[in-house]
Amino acid sequence: MAKGGRKYRLILYQHILDRWWPVTLTLALIIALNVGALWGAQWYFVEPAQNPLPVLSDQGGYILLGVSGFALILTFVLLLMRRGAYVQLFDSYLRLATPFLRVNISYKRIHPTTTAQVATLFPPSKYKGWQRDVLEPVAGETALVIHLTGYPLPRAALNLFLSTFFFFDKTPHFVLIVDDWMNFSIELDSRRMGAKAPPRQPSKPKPRLRSGLLDDLTRK
């Protein structure tokens, strides 16, 4: 199995998922604490009339705890998805991985890359709502534009699984906003050059002289 290099995080996905997992975690904790408080009050106050809090039935409590558990599981799923968005370089291809897609891009498809500020490729003023909210924190970052001879999958299929911020025009390319664009660019150039270099031909062993008639003559 080919050994890959460092995983460079796609910070755009981190920003998107960072908007959600604190919400689901908070929801899980609030529900669980409320159920605990209501049941705790019912246990503490023997007489129901003394209990200042609403009475929560066992069935209602179990349903709420189930919702809390689901929100907690969803929090862990979002955190795992956050770690599953990266690019990684191998000897002969670049791997682009997101929570919903993993694709390998041969270096033969890749032209020299260019860099640009995210705000230049995607002016925040052109976007509204949640797209603008996601874009604004990374607008000052440097993005790498990986120009391609062609996509490894049809563009229509890529549009289903990748954010709109992976593409800024109709030409074959990917816009990558990673956590360390400079080292990623250096490693990418090094890997591409290594993949283009012709394989070394094994050196042929020199023929060994074998004793024969000539040796016999010189000894006489």
Side-chain angles (χ1 to χ4, degrees):
M1 184 176 180
K3 183 179 180 180
R6 169 187 167 185
K7 292 182 179 180
Y8 296 87
R9 303 295 175 189
L10 294 168
I11 60 177
L12 184 65
Y13 273 94
Q14 290 187 1
H15 283 292
I16 293 173
L17 296 174
D18 282 349
R19 292 165 57 88
W20 289 105
W21 73 260
V23 175
T24 57
L25 179 60
T26 301
L27 179 64
L29 294 176
I30 289 176
I31 293 175
L33 289 174
N34 274 276
V35 172
L38 294 175
W39 277 356
Q42 291 172 208
W43 171 82
Y44 181 78
F45 295 102
V46 180
E47 296 295 332
Q50 298 176 348
N51 185 0
L53 300 178
V55 175
L56 179 64
S57 66
D58 289 348
Q59 182 178 2
Y62 294 142
I63 292 174
L64 289 175
L65 288 177
V67 174
S68 175
F70 176 78
L72 188 60
I73 292 172
L74 184 57
T75 300
F76 288 117
V77 170
L78 291 173
L79 289 173
L80 289 175
M81 289 172 63
R82 184 179 182 272
R83 294 181 59 85
Y86 62 88
V87 287
Q88 187 177 16
L89 299 168
F90 291 80
D91 289 338
S92 58
Y93 60 88
L94 178 154
R95 172 171 293 167
L96 172 61
T98 71
F100 306 107
L101 178 71
R102 177 177 291 188
V103 61
N104 296 333
I105 306 163
S106 171
Y107 294 136
K108 295 179 181 178
R109 293 180 179 268
I110 298 178
H111 288 309
T113 61
T114 58
T115 60
Q117 194 175 48
V118 174
T120 302
L121 300 173
F122 311 105
S125 59
K126 292 178 58 176
Y127 299 90
K128 297 180 180 180
W130 69 269
Q131 287 187 326
R132 185 169 181 173
D133 293 340
V134 168
L135 186 60
E136 284 183 339
V138 298
E141 299 286 345
T142 298
L144 269 79
V145 183
I146 310 294
H147 300 280
L148 305 172
T149 58
Y151 286 116
L153 295 174
R155 174 67 181 266
L158 294 172
N159 287 337
L160 293 175
F161 298 102
L162 295 178
S163 165
T164 184
F165 299 120
F166 276 91
F167 315 101
F168 73 95
D169 63 18
K170 300 297 182 181
T171 62
H173 71 280
F174 289 112
V175 177
L176 302 180
I177 310 171
V178 297
D179 57 353
D180 189 352
W181 70 268
M182 189 172 292
N183 280 333
F184 173 73
S185 179
I186 294 171
E187 186 180 349
L188 175 59
D189 288 341
S190 175
R191 296 266 186 172
R192 287 181 62 240
M193 293 301 103
K196 289 183 178 180
R200 292 184 178 180
Q201 297 293 333
S203 58
K204 295 181 179 180
K206 295 181 179 180
R208 296 176 60 186
L209 296 177
R210 301 178 63 183
S211 60
L213 179 62
L214 183 60
D215 291 339
D216 294 339
L217 292 175
T218 55
R219 289 172 185 169
K220 291 180 181 181

